Amino acid sequence: MRRVYLSILVTVFGSLILIGWGLDIVAEKELKNTSPSELELYQRIIHSAAMQLDDLPLYQLDQGISRIQEQFKLEFFVEPLANLALPEELSEELETNRRLSLESSEGAFLIEKLETHSDYLLQLSVPLSTTETGYLDIALTLALYLGVGLALAIWLLPLTSRLSLLTKTAASFGTGKLDERVKPSRFSYISNLESSFNRMAAQIETLVADNKFLAQSLSHDLRTPVACLRFGVEAALDTQDEKKRLQYLQRIDEELTRMEDMLEAFLSYASMERKAQELKLANTDIGKLVYSTVEEMQALAIKGNIHLEYRQPSSQVFANVDYQWFYRALLNLISNAIDHTNGKVLACLTTSAKGLLIEIHDDGQGVPEEKREAIFSPFVTVEKSRNRQTTSYGLGLAIVSRVVHWHGGQITITNSKPLNGACFSILISPTLS
């Protein structure tokens, strides 16, 4: 909004100054051209009066002024030259021509320097015609208002145009076209508002897409356990063998547990966007954070006969992160690497000019390039040949991507150079320790 305030202030005050300056020039020319014969007549009168005063001694100037006023029925004044404060240009003009014409809103003033009494000036007040000045004042006032109004109309044109575009985009977005965005413009006064709308639209589009994925995945993944439950219930009701009935009931219990786990995972992911507003960012030692995560996963690695190694820089590095969420993201990444490795996982923390880089390497089959972008989408899993776990719902890497996005970082997948498998890299901005 600061840009809007500044632009309207510049427009109003700039137009007032420029239009006022232009009208002053017009008024000055108009005053000089309204009645040249009348001004010329007054110039002759003051010159004649000055000649009469030049013939009088100094002590008789007051008497001479009284006679001249009665003679011409005009207001004459004799002022000491020292009492008149003029700019340097006008002073030089008066010294050269011995006469000067001055104009103001009240009328015109004619000044002539006396030759005999060089320290005195004769001044004649010449009022302008009331009718002429009245019409001129009205015309100039209207011109000023119209000029400022035109300047404001020109200023409002791009603003109303951008507001109209924003309104149309919002209306189109409301009809279901979730990919609608306001195209940015360098000349927009409301660029911040437009950017906020685009960010909001992108978040809504992501939430709607996630909800669709959630609904589709739930409808797909619930069919098998529901069918198993129905079969188990029917079999338990039909059988007369008590042992088989207990086996069926045991399977039903297992399917119910699996359904509970799946629903809990889906609902947890669905509520993540709301939790993004509750991040508790703090200046955190990233080296210790990664080390703690690796140590937490050592038991799982040992159980799977996997060598898990961590390499960190010699000096401490810090970043503003939410410890719990970032810890969870690292757990998901290392767990994913353990699930898909052939026997080695390497976690590395390095620093560069771009920021802090956390890399998780494995010596598995890697991730095909065509699937590297989609793998961070929710409910997307890799090939069964790479997946050792049967309880994966395709949410681990989606959660990692969302957490990294919350922290203003980037996550990418490349081929691991040290282990020849997959390499998941997180890049975040460091802070001073």
Side-chain angles (χ1 to χ4, degrees):
M1 295 303 293
R2 181 182 301 176
R3 184 177 180 182
V4 177
Y5 292 143
L6 290 177
S7 61
I8 193 171
L9 287 176
V10 170
T11 301
V12 172
F13 287 106
S15 61
L16 284 174
I17 293 173
L18 291 176
I19 296 173
W21 175 70
L23 293 179
D24 285 342
I25 295 176
V26 173
E28 184 178 352
K29 291 182 179 180
E30 186 66 24
L31 288 173
K32 289 181 179 179
N33 297 330
T34 50
S35 53
S37 58
E38 185 178 351
L39 289 176
E40 186 177 341
L41 175 61
Y42 284 129
Q43 288 175 351
R44 293 177 181 176
I45 291 175
I46 193 174
H47 182 65
S48 175
M51 293 178 61
Q52 294 182 34
L53 294 177
D54 282 335
D55 295 335
L56 299 176
L58 183 60
Y59 65 89
Q60 292 184 354
L61 287 181
D62 292 339
Q63 297 177 0
I65 284 293
S66 299
R67 289 197 302 271
I68 292 173
Q69 287 180 342
E70 292 179 1
Q71 178 183 355
F72 294 105
K73 306 300 181 182
L74 295 172
E75 294 184 2
F76 288 90
F77 302 94
V78 174
E79 292 284 346
L81 179 61
N83 291 347
L84 185 65
L86 293 174
E88 185 177 352
E89 295 180 357
L90 295 179
S91 297
E92 292 177 357
E93 182 179 349
L94 179 62
E95 188 67 26
T96 302
N97 301 328
R98 304 190 66 82
R99 61 178 59 90
L100 191 64
S101 299
L102 299 177
E103 296 170 355
S104 68
S105 60
E106 297 178 356
F109 297 89
L110 302 180
I111 298 173
E112 185 159 341
K113 190 175 182 180
L114 299 179
E115 292 185 5
T116 305
H117 312 289
S118 58
D119 292 335
Y120 289 86
L121 298 172
L122 179 61
Q123 177 179 320
L124 172 61
S125 177
V126 183
L128 296 176
S129 173
T130 304
T131 303
E132 292 179 358
T133 56
Y135 288 153
L136 182 61
D137 289 343
I138 294 173
L140 293 178
T141 302
L142 288 176
L144 177 63
Y145 288 150
L146 290 175
V148 175
L150 180 61
L152 286 175
I154 295 174
W155 177 86
L156 285 171
L157 184 61
L159 177 62
T160 54
S161 175
R162 299 302 296 183
L163 287 174
S164 176
L165 176 61
L166 181 60
T167 302
K168 291 179 180 178
T169 305
S172 179
F173 186 85
T175 59
K177 298 180 180 178
L178 301 183
D179 59 342
E180 287 289 330
R181 301 291 186 271
V182 179
K183 294 182 179 179
S185 172
R186 295 172 55 190
F187 305 102
S188 175
Y189 301 137
I190 55 173
S191 56
N192 291 335
L193 177 61
E194 294 169 354
S195 300
S196 298
F197 173 83
N198 287 341
R199 286 194 298 270
M200 178 195 69
Q203 290 178 350
I204 293 175
E205 184 180 18
T206 301
L207 289 174
V208 172
D210 287 351
N211 287 335
K212 287 182 178 179
F213 272 121
L214 180 62
Q216 293 172 359
S217 183
L218 280 175
S219 63
H220 176 270
D221 293 342
L222 284 177
R223 289 176 183 173
T224 300
V226 168
C228 291
L229 286 174
R230 181 178 294 278
F231 173 78
V233 170
E234 291 176 352
L237 292 174
D238 292 340
T239 185
Q240 300 297 325
D241 191 336
E242 192 64 27
K243 288 185 177 180
K244 288 185 177 181
R245 182 180 289 108
L246 288 176
Q247 290 177 356
Y248 292 142
L249 292 176
Q250 217 169 9
R251 291 178 183 178
I252 291 173
D253 182 67
E254 291 174 358
E255 291 298 332
L256 286 174
T257 302
R258 189 176 294 110
M259 288 179 64
E260 288 178 352
D261 293 340
M262 180 175 59
L263 289 174
E264 183 179 356
F266 285 0
L267 294 176
S268 176
Y269 180 80
S271 64
M272 281 191 67
E273 197 62 34
R274 185 182 72 254
K275 295 176 181 178
Q277 309 301 324
E278 304 171 359
L279 288 180
K280 298 178 181 178
L281 300 178
N283 201 27
T284 305
D285 187 337
I286 300 299
K288 288 184 178 181
L289 176 58
V290 180
Y291 176 78
S292 299
T293 311
V294 171
E295 288 299 306
E296 178 74 18
M297 299 302 295
Q298 283 291 357
L300 181 62
I302 294 173
K303 182 179 179 181
N305 197 25
I306 295 169
H307 177 68
L308 175 58
E309 182 184 352
Y310 173 47
R311 298 175 186 173
Q312 63 178 350
S314 57
S315 59
Q316 290 180 309
V317 288
F318 292 81
N320 278 326
V321 299
D322 183 298
Y323 188 94
Q324 296 299 329
W325 276 111
F326 213 80
Y327 183 79
R328 180 177 178 182
L330 292 176
L331 281 178
N332 286 356
L333 271 187
I334 298 175
S335 175
N336 178 76
I338 291 175
D339 287 344
H340 302 116
T341 186
N342 291 326
K344 292 183 180 180
V345 174
L346 172 63
C348 298
L349 173 62
T350 57
T351 59
S352 66
K354 295 182 179 179
L356 298 182
L357 185 63
I358 303 171
E359 295 178 321
I360 308 298
H361 302 264
D362 65 60
D363 63 348
Q365 298 178 10
V367 181
E369 290 189 11
E370 64 273 11
K371 295 187 177 181
R372 290 178 180 175
E373 184 175 352
I375 202 173
F376 292 113
S377 299
F379 319 116
V380 174
T381 57
V382 294
E383 298 89 350
K384 293 181 180 179
S385 60
R386 291 191 76 228
N387 196 352
R388 298 185 177 189
Q389 306 271 341
T390 58
T391 58
S392 173
Y393 305 112
L395 296 176
L397 294 180
I399 291 174
V400 173
S401 176
R402 188 66 61 88
V403 171
V404 173
H405 174 72
W406 290 346
H407 290 83
Q410 296 178 346
I411 182 167
T412 55
I413 306 176
T414 57
N415 293 326
S416 173
K417 293 183 178 179
L419 299 183
N420 297 322
C423 174
F424 289 78
S425 303
I426 296 177
L427 181 66
I428 57 175
S429 299
T431 58
L432 297 176
S433 58

